[in-house]
Amino acid sequence: MRRLLPLFALLCAHARAQDYPASAADYLARFDRNGDGRISEQEYVDYLSAGFAAMDANGDGVLEADELPPGPRRTPRTLADFQADLRAQFHRLDRNHDGFLSARELAQPPR
């Protein structure tokens, strides 16, 4: 989790106010590709990996120091490692252990 938070913060650094959803249900809708009202692990990983892909200028699956914003944490990070951390975070958010995230689970901070 410690490795994920700094990179997640970097991926979110360029967000604009209008990019933020108005409610937990609106937030869930951004992830929910099949429209079933809940988020699968794959939907969660796919949605959050889009920011990684946008930063990966050469498309090699690794964020190198020159692809990261300036700052103290410029350690290269692979997409595979990033996604493994996302999967672990998904399972921490899935409080009822049903394999899906509800709007309420998605909006809660991870444990």
Side-chain angles (χ1 to χ4, degrees):
M1 182 67 174
R2 288 184 204 182
R3 296 177 303 170
L4 179 61
L5 289 177
L7 183 57
F8 188 69
L10 290 173
L11 294 174
C12 295
H14 300 290
R16 299 167 301 194
Q18 65 266 29
D19 293 335
Y20 292 100
S23 69
D26 291 339
Y27 190 50
L28 181 135
R30 292 180 180 207
F31 288 78
D32 186 15
R33 291 293 179 216
N34 64 5
D36 66 355
R38 57 192 190 162
I39 301 167
S40 70
E41 181 179 322
Q42 194 60 52
E43 287 172 321
Y44 183 80
V45 171
D46 289 347
Y47 182 81
L48 293 175
S49 293
F52 187 104
M55 292 176 68
D56 186 11
N58 63 5
D60 68 351
V62 178
L63 290 181
E64 303 290 345
D66 64 337
E67 294 171 317
L68 295 169
R73 292 200 161 262
R74 295 184 54 138
T75 306
R77 185 90 164 118
T78 68
L79 178 59
D81 287 343
F82 181 70
Q83 289 180 337
D85 286 344
L86 288 175
R87 290 180 193 288
Q89 182 174 318
F90 175 91
H91 292 285
R92 285 190 297 276
L93 289 170
D94 183 16
R95 304 273 165 87
N96 66 359
H97 307 290
D98 68 350
F100 295 93
L101 298 180
S102 65
R104 170 175 254 165
E105 287 172 321
L106 183 62
Q108 293 179 1
R111 293 181 186 175

